[in-house]
């Protein structure tokens, strides 16, 4: 009885901690950090579309390297990595106790939160490691990483099918992200009633345009992974940088990449809006 009571009290205390002002602040800081990364990727993509990009990568590694080159860059990276750790902590609390909203305790929602916890935990670790002096952490080429992982997977028994299924999953996730953005599904996560009409319209546009651009890039990256599996060529797999560059090779020329780049920047600004109005 005493043991059960102690466990119950422990769960109550843990849930209170998850719903605390500190966790809420950590989540909002995480959204700010995510916004910084996406805005920088958008800027780097725009450079590539309008010139050669100066040898910079249009991915998370490129964004980290860009920050590191600025005055007080290392300090900024420490802040960014810590904020992303806050995002991971918030996602962990969602996985453990459920999200805000009537359906937040669904198993599927909690599983997705757990996946996001792992993702943001990894990104935070990469940024903090880079800030601590490990220049190979966080700034590596997403293209090389994707090709290396694909090459290893293709060597496994049934590797061709594993890569193909993973590619289809990424492509499907991209379509899901884009469709949800276009349908304004993000409304249920935001305190829309606190916004003025102009602000609401602006956030609607940023969320729809930015989310659609992000989803399209994920979907195209998934298609490249499927092509790598079908042709058994790891080089066909592309990270974010090469996926973005592929948009400039379409009949639309660099202008399609310009559109995607602006969309990424829009998603970054939308992330900052989440820092202000997200229900956490």
């Amino acid at each position: 009885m005493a043991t059960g009571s102690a466990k119950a009290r422990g769960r109550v205390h843990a849930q209170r901690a998850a719903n605390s002002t500190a966790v809420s602040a950590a989540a909002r800081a995480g959204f700010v950090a995510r916004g910084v990364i996406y805005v920088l990727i958008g800027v780097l993509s725009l450079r590539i579309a309008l010139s050669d990009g100066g040898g910079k990568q249009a991915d998370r590694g490129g964004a980290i390297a860009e920050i590191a080159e600025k005055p007080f860059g290392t300090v900024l990276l420490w802040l960014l990595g810590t904020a992303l750790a806050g995002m991971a902590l918030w996602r962990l609390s969602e996985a453990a106790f459920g999200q805000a909203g009537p359906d937040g305790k669904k198993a599927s929602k909690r599983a997705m939160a757990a996946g996001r916890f792992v993702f943001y935990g990894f990104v935070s670790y990469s940024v903090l490691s880079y800030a601590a002096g490990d220049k190979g952490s966080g700034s590596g080429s997403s293209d090389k990483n994707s090709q290396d992982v694909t090459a290893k997977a293709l060597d496994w028994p049934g590797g061709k099918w594993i890569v193909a299924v993973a590619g289809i999953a990424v492509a499907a996730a991209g379509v899901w992200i884009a469709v949800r953005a276009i349908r304004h599904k993000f409304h249920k996560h935001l305190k829309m009633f606190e916004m003025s009409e102009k602000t609401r319209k602006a956030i609607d546009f940023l969320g729809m345009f930015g989310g659609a651009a992000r989803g399209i890039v994920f979907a195209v990256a998934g298609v490249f992974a499927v092509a790598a599996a079908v042709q058994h060529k790891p080089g066909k797999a592309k990270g974010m940088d090469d996926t973005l560059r592929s948009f400039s090779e379409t009949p639309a020329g660099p202008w399609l990449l310009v559109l995607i780049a602006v969309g990424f920047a829009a998603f970054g600004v939308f992330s900052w809006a989440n820092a202000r109005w997200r229900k956490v």
Side-chain angles (χ1 to χ4, degrees):
M1 291 290 290
T3 302
S5 178
K7 286 182 178 179
R9 286 197 301 270
R11 284 195 297 270
V12 170
H13 289 317
Q15 189 156 9
R16 284 177 181 172
N19 295 329
S20 68
T21 303
V23 172
S24 175
R28 298 188 192 285
F31 279 114
V32 172
R34 187 181 75 172
V36 169
I37 290 174
Y38 270 96
V39 167
L40 285 176
I41 293 175
V43 170
L44 292 168
S45 301
L46 198 58
R47 288 182 191 171
I48 291 169
L50 301 179
S51 62
D52 61 358
K56 299 291 182 68
Q57 299 167 206
D59 53 19
R60 188 175 64 247
I64 292 172
E66 186 78 4
I67 293 171
E69 294 173 359
K70 303 302 180 187
F72 305 105
T74 300
V75 174
L76 292 173
L77 286 178
W78 279 109
L79 291 172
L80 189 72
T82 303
L84 289 167
M87 174 72 91
L89 175 64
W90 173 55
R91 292 301 189 184
L92 178 60
S93 73
E94 286 192 324
F97 304 109
Q99 303 177 13
D103 61 346
K105 293 188 183 297
K106 284 184 177 179
S108 58
K109 298 280 188 182
R110 294 169 75 160
M112 288 175 64
R116 287 166 175 157
F117 158 68
V118 173
F119 172 75
Y120 283 110
F122 171 75
V123 175
S124 172
Y125 173 79
S126 298
V127 175
L128 292 173
S129 295
Y130 190 97
D134 182 3
K135 303 306 180 185
S137 178
S139 64
S141 168
S142 59
D143 305 313
K144 186 177 185 304
N145 292 339
S146 295
Q147 291 165 10
D148 287 348
V149 170
T150 302
K152 289 179 181 178
L154 287 174
D155 286 338
W156 296 342
K160 180 177 179 179
W161 293 103
I162 293 172
V163 173
V165 170
I168 291 170
V170 171
V175 172
W176 181 76
I177 289 169
V179 170
R180 284 178 62 82
I182 292 168
R183 295 180 63 189
H184 299 96
K185 289 291 187 178
F186 50 82
H187 277 187
K188 65 181 181 180
H189 297 301
L190 300 175
K191 300 174 183 176
M192 305 297 292
F193 58 90
E194 292 186 1
M195 305 175 194
S196 66
E197 185 177 354
K198 286 184 178 179
T199 300
R200 196 158 46 241
K201 287 181 178 178
I203 290 176
D204 268 352
F205 173 75
L206 291 169
M208 180 185 66
F209 179 37
R214 180 169 171 254
I216 288 169
V217 172
F218 272 86
V220 172
V223 171
F224 283 130
V226 173
V230 171
Q231 300 178 32
H232 209 278
K233 293 181 179 179
K236 290 289 185 179
K238 299 181 186 293
M240 182 174 286
D241 180 59
D242 268 356
T243 300
L244 287 166
R245 291 175 189 271
S246 70
F247 287 102
S248 65
E249 298 167 2
T250 64
W255 298 111
L256 183 55
L257 179 54
V258 167
L259 188 65
I260 295 294
V262 175
F264 265 47
F267 185 77
V269 177
F270 176 70
S271 293
W272 293 337
N274 272 259
R276 169 62 178 84
W277 285 290
R278 179 83 180 205
K279 298 173 184 176
V280 296

